[in-house]
Amino acid sequence: MAVHHDHPRRHLGFHLPSLRGTGTAPASGEVATAAATATSAYALAGLRLLTGFVFLWAFLDKTFGFGYATPSGKGWIDGGSPTKGFLSGVAAGPMESTFHDWAGQGWADWLFMLGLLGIGLALITGIGLRVTALAGTLMMAFMWIAEWPPAKHLSDGSASMSSNPFADYHLIYAVVFVVLAAAGAGTVWGLGKVWARLPFVDRHRWLL
């Protein structure tokens, strides 16, 4: 005769861990935040390097005439003027006649080319981003005025073909300069940390 004993169900002492109140969620959140911060830092570093290459390449092409924007044999070292073609072609805006007077002037060529070189090197190396933001924004402001996007017609009456009365690529570049400087984007893939530790820079924080 089989005897059936009704024993209470025994627990084996094994439980699946609960995510509530264990700190797992905050830890995951911290990891996600750290990952997002790192991703942002690398994205800004990539933006910095690409933008720097744009300006450094413009300097090199205008200097040596690689045959892209500047024809071969018409580079700065060949006697060509980096500003004459652009400034003499200004055909709208409140500074049209002023830009015509500046076109091809030696001081204008030097300022323009040093600006391109300085901005390009600063962005690629990741140093002096605050100064770069100021100087670059000033340069972009002058170039914006030279293009004068608000104009619907040029001084000769022809259509300006402006696609936007305010926002153009000069404004975008200016915003990029400010964002990179504000974010301290020179520390990733750059010499920003080394630069910041220099005694002279440490005493003059505006050089960061």
Side-chain angles (χ1 to χ4, degrees):
M1 177 178 178
V3 178
H4 297 279
H5 298 281
D6 293 329
H7 297 288
R9 184 172 298 176
R10 297 179 180 177
H11 297 284
L12 300 179
F14 176 79
H15 302 278
L16 291 175
S18 173
L19 297 181
R20 296 181 181 179
T22 62
T24 302
S28 298
E30 291 174 3
V31 171
T33 300
T37 301
T39 300
S40 299
Y42 286 116
L44 288 172
L47 176 63
R48 191 197 82 235
L49 291 173
L50 287 175
T51 306
F53 181 72
V54 169
F55 283 82
L56 185 59
W57 175 260
F59 169 80
L60 294 173
D61 185 48
K62 293 179 184 299
T63 299
F64 300 105
F66 290 147
Y68 288 87
T70 304
S72 179
K74 293 188 177 181
W76 197 21
I77 62 171
D78 300 311
S81 170
T83 63
K84 186 174 183 179
F86 176 66
L87 293 181
S88 62
V90 173
M95 294 184 63
E96 179 181 351
S97 60
T98 301
F99 284 133
H100 289 172
D101 293 337
W102 291 356
Q105 296 289 332
W107 63 267
D109 289 344
W110 275 97
L111 281 179
F112 180 60
M113 294 299 281
L114 288 176
L116 291 178
L117 177 61
I119 292 172
L121 289 178
L123 291 178
I124 288 178
T125 59
I127 64 176
L129 296 185
R130 293 182 181 180
V131 176
T132 300
L134 178 61
T137 297
L138 183 61
M139 174 185 283
M140 293 301 103
F142 274 107
M143 296 182 73
W144 187 91
I145 295 173
E147 298 252 345
W148 200 245
K152 293 183 179 179
H153 299 88
L154 303 179
S155 55
D156 61 2
S158 61
S160 68
M161 303 303 291
S162 175
S163 59
N164 191 293
F166 175 67
D168 73 343
Y169 65 98
H170 298 107
L171 178 62
I172 301 301
Y173 278 133
V175 172
V176 168
F177 296 150
V178 174
V179 169
L180 293 176
T187 58
V188 176
W189 296 339
L191 301 176
K193 291 182 179 179
V194 176
W195 176 255
R197 287 196 295 265
L198 295 178
F200 182 77
V201 177
D202 185 57
R203 292 193 301 269
H204 302 83
R205 306 303 289 175
W206 58 271
L207 291 173
L208 289 174

